[in-house]
Amino acid sequence: MNLRRDVRAGGTVLAALVVLGAILGWLWAVLAPSTLALVLRDGSVAELPTESYHLFDDVALFALMGLGAGLVTGAAAWVWRTRRGTTVLLLVVLGSALSALVARSVGLLAVPEGPAAAAVGSILALPPTLGTWMVLVAQPLGAAFAYTTAVAFSGDDNLGAGPARQAEPQGHSTVGASGAGSLHEGPPGFSSGSAER
């Protein structure tokens, strides 16, 4: 029964991260800047001066969005008290890596395509690109950092897993009351009068 519940919970987490990745990819396609280029006589294109900086902007925007999503994912997984531990950490990291892969795929598919042909000397807006696969590391790295930081600051041996503990009311400790009375009691047959003799 516990195994079925764990599998169901893991599937829910993975599905949520896949949806998150699709949303991140679409947002990146909308927000990432295009690169302006000049059409040359041979049909090739040359980027205008300073436009090459947008190639870095595209990568940086994707990485920062993934890092932010990973931090939120790791923090949300820590709030899930009943499932804290190594299994949840691995699930969150692997799920975030899958989410980043989905974001990259959706983002590159959602960007508008450039014109198939253009006149010589015209200016084209080249779609944003992601030139490196290293951008996929940011989201799982953020998730792992957020979760392990919460683990490091946890003072419980079981990481506080399970339902939240309720504080015990003050002044109702039976041990303290009985202990206080036993301090004034002696062994059987002993009385305060006999001690004074």
Side-chain angles (χ1 to χ4, degrees), residues 7-195:
V7 171
R8 186 184 305 170
T12 302
V13 171
L14 291 178
L17 289 175
V18 168
V19 174
L20 176 62
I23 295 174
L24 290 176
W26 178 80
L27 286 176
W28 175 82
V30 173
L31 299 176
S34 301
T35 302
L36 298 180
L38 177 66
V39 180
L40 304 179
R41 292 182 178 180
D42 58 356
S44 62
V45 294
E47 299 169 354
L48 297 180
T50 70
E51 284 295 313
S52 59
Y53 291 125
H54 289 321
L55 298 177
F56 171 79
D57 296 338
D58 298 337
V59 175
L61 178 62
F62 188 92
L64 290 176
M65 292 175 62
L67 181 62
L71 291 174
V72 173
T73 300
W78 177 255
V79 176
W80 193 14
R81 299 180 60 91
T82 57
R83 292 292 185 273
R84 288 178 180 174
T86 307
T87 303
V88 175
L89 175 61
L90 294 177
L91 178 64
V92 168
V93 171
L94 295 179
S96 296
L98 177 62
S99 178
L101 181 61
V102 172
R104 184 183 188 275
S105 302
V106 173
L108 294 179
L109 290 175
V111 293
E113 298 182 359
V120 176
S122 60
I123 304 297
L124 298 180
L126 302 179
T129 59
L130 294 173
T132 175
W133 287 88
M134 293 300 294
V135 292
L136 303 181
V137 179
Q139 188 170 347
L141 182 63
F145 176 79
Y147 197 88
T148 53
T149 300
V151 171
F153 282 94
S154 176
D156 295 333
D157 294 336
N158 63 343
L159 302 180
R165 299 177 180 177
Q166 297 181 355
E168 296 182 358
Q170 298 293 333
H172 291 79
S173 177
T174 57
V175 176
S178 60
S182 61
L183 293 177
H184 301 285
E185 295 179 359
F190 179 83
S191 62
S192 60
S194 60

